[in-house]
């Protein structure tokens, strides 16, 4: 009975800790959830503000109703003009994987054709069809390199929202 009561106490204490929310900054590009990016306290954020015309990297300390408290600065969401999202956006991982996949497919195709020609004909040669196909694959991968999402601009439909999820 003693063990059951202790287990029940631990379980209820763990539920109350899971129920506490965390505040975050929401970068909202539209209604879809996949285009939303969240920054939590303790994470680094790289931003450009109306007062500073270059990107500054800082750590988010706290989030209030109207302000973002950073380790070196205090900002309101309206004073932020751009946020660097290269490492934060999930869609960049998909684009990066697709770029690597197409470029490596072209390199593997060239390598397989060259090894095959050396093995069968005892000389290095690449047929024109395989060379064209691998060139298209490598070119497509190189063309996809600049397609990644780099910055979030706080203009138009894009919005920066401060979400407070406190249980009091």
């Amino acid at each position: 009975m003693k063990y059951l009561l202790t287990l029940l106490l631990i379980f209820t204490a763990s539920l109350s800790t899971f129920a506490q929310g965390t505040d975050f900054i929401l970068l909202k590009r539209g209604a879809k959830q996949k285009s939303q990016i969240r920054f939590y306290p303790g994470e680094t954020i790289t931003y450009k503000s109306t007062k500073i015309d270059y990107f500054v990297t800082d750590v988010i300390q706290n989030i209030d109703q109207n302000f973002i408290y950073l380790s070196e600065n205090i900002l309101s969401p309206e004073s932020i003009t751009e946020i660097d999202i290269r490492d934060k956006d999930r869609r960049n991982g998909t684009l990066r994987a697709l770029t690597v996949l197409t470029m490596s497919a072209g390199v593997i195709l060239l390598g397989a054709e060259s090894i095959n020609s050396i093995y069968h004909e005892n000389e290095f040669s690449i047929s024109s069809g395989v060379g064209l196909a691998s060139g298209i694959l490598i070119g497509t991968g190189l063309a996809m390199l600049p397609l990644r999402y780099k910055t979030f601009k706080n203009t138009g439909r894009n919005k920066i929202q401060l979400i407070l999820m406190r249980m009091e």
Side-chain angles (χ1 to χ4, degrees):
M1 182 70 179
K2 192 182 205 182
Y3 293 117
L4 183 63
L5 186 61
T6 307
L7 188 63
L8 184 64
L9 259 168
I10 291 172
F11 181 70
T12 56
S14 67
L15 279 180
S16 67
T17 59
F18 288 132
Q20 293 179 0
T22 57
D23 305 337
F24 58 91
I25 301 169
L26 181 68
L27 306 181
K28 195 169 185 178
R29 187 165 279 167
K32 298 179 184 175
Q33 189 166 355
K34 70 177 182 179
S35 63
Q36 297 176 357
I37 300 170
R38 296 179 183 191
F39 285 93
Y40 294 97
E43 291 185 15
T44 60
I45 185 169
T46 304
Y47 65 93
K48 188 189 292 187
S49 69
T50 54
K51 297 176 184 175
I52 305 171
D53 200 29
Y54 53 88
F55 282 101
V56 177
T57 302
D58 210 343
V59 178
I60 302 170
Q61 299 293 328
N62 196 5
I63 298 168
D64 198 358
Q65 193 94 17
N66 299 319
F67 296 104
I68 304 166
Y69 297 98
L70 305 169
S71 62
E72 299 286 329
N73 203 355
I74 298 173
L75 292 174
S76 68
E78 295 83 23
S79 67
I80 297 174
T81 57
E82 286 184 71
I83 295 179
D84 186 6
I85 57 169
R86 290 171 217 220
D87 298 329
K88 193 72 176 166
D89 199 350
R90 293 181 308 193
R91 297 172 293 178
N92 281 345
T94 305
L95 286 170
R96 188 178 301 121
L98 195 57
T99 301
V100 168
L101 182 68
T102 55
M103 289 177 66
S104 60
V107 170
I108 288 172
L109 186 61
L110 274 176
E113 174 66 17
S114 63
I115 290 172
N116 195 22
S117 69
I118 290 172
Y119 182 73
H120 286 292
E121 301 166 9
N122 292 331
E123 67 179 55
F124 177 77
S125 67
I126 296 175
S127 66
S128 62
V130 171
L132 180 66
S134 64
I136 289 172
L137 285 169
I138 292 172
T140 303
L142 289 173
M144 288 174 57
L145 281 175
L147 293 180
R148 296 190 184 129
Y149 298 96
K150 294 175 183 73
T151 60
F152 177 88
K153 295 184 180 176
N154 194 15
T155 57
R157 290 182 18 194
N158 299 341
K159 293 182 179 130
I160 298 175
Q161 297 176 350
L162 303 179
I163 309 295
L164 302 175
M165 304 278 293
R166 295 190 182 141
M167 307 292 267
E168 297 179 294

